[in-house]
């Protein structure tokens, strides 16, 4: 016994209206960007390098951001931009 497609056509407008209402409720979000370490960034994470010691003394927050990026966590743009400009990170 075949089912009539009429029943499904009548529900189509209701489902489209529901989908449109749902779409209006969604917030537009930017996807977080991931970054990869450059050779200079890898050197900055080496605890025996001069660069690491310099960052540890002067910019601990940059060192923490580099650690998070090396573990694969996404970074905010304002946090990653100075590190990209200095050559520690490169966008994926």
């Amino acid at each position: 016994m075949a089912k009539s497609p009429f029943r499904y056509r009548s529900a189509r407008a209701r489902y489209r209206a529901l989908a449109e209402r749902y779409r209006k409720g969604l917030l537009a979000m930017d996807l977080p960007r991931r970054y990869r370490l450059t050779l200079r960034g890898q050197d900055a994470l080496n605890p025996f390098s001069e660069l690491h010691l310099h960052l540890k003394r002067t910019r601990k927050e940059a060192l923490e951001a580099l650690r998070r990026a090396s573990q694969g966590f996404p970074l905010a743009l304002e946090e990653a931009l100075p590190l990209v400009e200095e050559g520690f990170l490169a966008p994926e």
Side-chain angles (χ1 to χ4, degrees):
M1 178 183 216
K3 293 193 174 199
S4 168
F6 178 73
R7 194 175 86 193
Y8 300 114
R9 281 192 211 134
S10 64
R12 183 184 312 167
R14 185 172 49 118
Y15 284 125
R16 285 188 176 166
L18 183 64
E20 187 62 33
R21 193 176 86 201
Y22 176 73
R23 195 173 313 132
K24 286 179 183 176
L26 293 177
L27 298 175
M29 287 181 52
D30 292 332
L31 291 175
R33 293 194 63 178
R34 294 190 184 270
Y35 297 89
R36 61 179 171 79
L37 289 175
T38 60
L39 288 176
R40 184 164 187 217
Q42 291 175 13
D43 188 37
L45 289 178
N46 179 4
F48 301 108
S49 73
E50 289 294 323
L51 185 57
H52 176 83
L53 295 174
H54 176 70
L55 283 177
K56 190 174 179 180
R57 276 183 262 131
T58 59
R59 297 180 52 201
K60 282 194 174 201
E61 70 282 349
L63 202 54
E64 290 301 318
L66 278 173
R67 282 192 184 116
R68 284 197 314 276
S70 71
Q71 294 170 355
F73 292 109
L75 295 177
L77 183 63
E78 62 273 356
E79 189 177 26
L81 193 59
L83 298 174
V84 170
E85 289 173 351
E86 292 179 29
F88 294 120
L89 296 175
E92 283 189 347

